Amino acid sequence: MSEGRAKGDAGELSRGSASEGAAGELPRGATIDAAYEALVDAFCTSLVQERNLSSHTARNYRIDLADFGRWAARCGVSPLAASHRHVRMYLANLDRAQYSRRTVNRRLSALRTFFRWLIVHGYAESDPVSALSGPKTAKSLPHAIPAAQMDALLSAWEGDATPTGMRNRALLEFLYACGARVSEASGLLVRDVSFESRLAKIFGKGGKERIVPLHDAAVEAMETYAIKARPSLLSGAECPYFFVSSRGAKMSTDSMRRVFKRSLVMAGIDEAYTPHDMRHSFATDLVEGGADLRSVQELLGHASLSTTQVYTHLSVAHLKEARRRAHPRG
């Protein structure tokens, strides 16, 4: 995308509507195109039912596509008949509103996937997005949790003999032992955990299945929770999911994130860390310990080895830092 051209195109719109923030209120009398909203609903439903994506992912698509619908309504553009020029105007508006490059690229990606779906299903004849590219973003390395802080985090619930305390400890151990996403932890079934074999069957993105070994600390924490805490949390109810809430229902991803944040506070470490950083730590520790990339790819459930290769950069960075600290010349 040519930034200068995009901003020039945007100038053709009325200054009042185009200069508003991308997520601003609609002018009086303006509404998002009803046909567009209906197709966005159908598209998001297909993401879950046909592509097996999570409801969280579908919700993010809906949010991004709704933003384009609001922009189109403000500017008097039909979103289903948008041209390349209109999409460039929209991207320029996001840039002018100082949205991050990551956000701009995510919204462009949502539009690209949506319009491809429209064409496949016969709702559109042309794709105004496929030829456009978003702004380049600097590649950032995964954010791994240092070993000492990881030890503090995993010890946050040690000694807490309450049902929720035992569950929370088991959850943290599981996330780190398997490199699991919170969505995978939330969807973990009782039948898919084998303490005898020390294995867990995990269903990742797109319903892709992988089997991950559990180390001794994880087995101990998870088995203690399963035997002593889980029945108390269920209070006689039945639930097929391994991690349950205090009400005996499936523990949601939001609840797991709240537990993680509370654990950070209890451990006295950086509250900016996320549960996904435990996944990065799991992979980083494996690579630095000498595991081959193919094995790490399988354990993480990555579809492509190129996604896993980012951890080799972390390993190299670790070696450089070790050399700097140890070598006489620094």
Side-chain angles (χ1 to χ4, degrees):
M1 180 185 70
S2 168
E3 185 176 356
R5 183 176 179 184
K7 291 188 176 181
D9 286 336
E12 297 176 18
L13 298 172
S14 63
R15 291 296 176 184
S17 61
S19 62
E20 295 179 24
E25 295 296 328
L26 293 174
R28 180 171 296 180
T31 58
I32 297 179
D33 185 271
Y36 175 79
E37 280 193 307
L39 287 173
V40 168
D41 285 341
F43 167 69
C44 291
T45 298
S46 76
L47 292 177
V48 176
Q49 296 181 350
E50 298 173 17
R51 292 179 54 184
N52 292 319
L53 298 185
S54 69
S55 57
H56 177 73
T57 299
R59 183 170 66 248
N60 288 339
Y61 270 99
R62 190 186 303 275
I63 291 170
D64 289 336
L65 293 171
D67 186 78
F68 179 70
R70 286 192 294 270
W71 174 87
R74 288 200 303 274
C75 300
V77 172
S78 171
L80 294 174
S83 66
H84 288 75
R85 185 171 65 89
H86 291 138
V87 179
R88 288 197 302 270
M89 292 176 184
Y90 171 64
L91 297 179
N93 193 48
L94 293 174
D95 179 62
R96 195 164 43 249
Q98 298 184 340
Y99 280 78
S100 70
R101 292 183 177 185
R102 186 181 297 274
T103 298
V104 173
N105 280 322
R106 192 190 68 237
R107 291 190 173 164
L108 180 61
S109 176
L111 285 170
R112 183 179 293 114
T113 307
F114 176 60
F115 273 97
R116 285 175 182 167
W117 180 86
L118 291 177
I119 291 174
V120 168
H121 289 81
Y123 297 118
E125 296 181 357
S126 61
D127 181 356
V129 188
S130 61
L132 298 177
S133 58
K136 292 184 177 180
T137 56
K139 290 185 178 180
S140 57
L141 293 176
H143 196 196
I145 304 173
Q149 295 188 26
M150 180 63 78
D151 288 341
L153 179 59
L154 294 174
S155 301
W157 298 94
E158 245 180 34
D160 188 332
T162 65
T164 54
M166 287 185 277
R167 180 204 61 195
N168 295 347
R169 179 173 174 240
L171 172 62
L172 293 177
E173 288 286 0
F174 173 74
L175 290 174
Y176 181 54
C178 299
R181 304 174 178 93
V182 286
S183 59
E184 295 168 346
S186 177
L188 183 69
L189 297 173
V190 172
R191 70 185 185 203
D192 291 333
V193 178
S194 172
F195 297 123
E196 183 179 355
S197 301
R198 285 171 148 64
L199 297 172
K201 184 188 296 183
I202 298 174
F203 291 88
K205 292 183 177 180
K208 184 179 178 181
E209 174 188 318
R210 69 185 189 274
I211 296 177
V212 182
L214 300 170
H215 55 65
D216 290 346
V219 169
E220 186 273 328
M222 293 172 68
E223 193 167 18
T224 298
Y225 154 72
I227 296 172
K228 297 183 178 180
R230 191 171 181 276
S232 177
L233 293 172
L234 287 172
S235 298
E238 292 186 5
C239 181
Y241 294 96
F242 186 80
F243 292 107
V244 295
S245 68
S246 56
R247 297 181 180 180
K250 174 185 179 182
M251 194 176 183
S252 70
T253 55
D254 287 341
S255 294
M256 289 182 173
R257 290 188 179 95
R258 285 194 292 270
V259 167
F260 186 81
K261 287 297 183 185
R262 186 180 175 191
S263 303
L264 293 174
V265 173
M266 291 171 62
I269 62 179
D270 190 351
E271 294 180 43
Y273 287 123
T274 68
H276 210 71
D277 291 329
M278 293 193 83
R279 178 172 165 84
H280 294 320
S281 302
F282 165 81
T284 302
D285 290 346
L286 286 178
V287 172
E288 291 183 352
D292 65 277
L293 281 183
R294 286 290 181 187
S295 297
V296 178
Q297 177 191 2
E298 289 297 321
L299 291 170
L300 290 174
H302 284 162
S304 171
L305 184 62
S306 61
T307 307
T308 315
Q309 284 175 333
V310 67
Y311 295 105
T312 63
H313 297 300
L314 283 177
S315 183
V316 170
H318 170 78
L319 291 173
K320 285 182 176 179
E321 176 60 20
R323 182 203 59 80
R324 187 194 65 78
R325 291 196 306 266
H327 196 277
R329 296 288 188 181

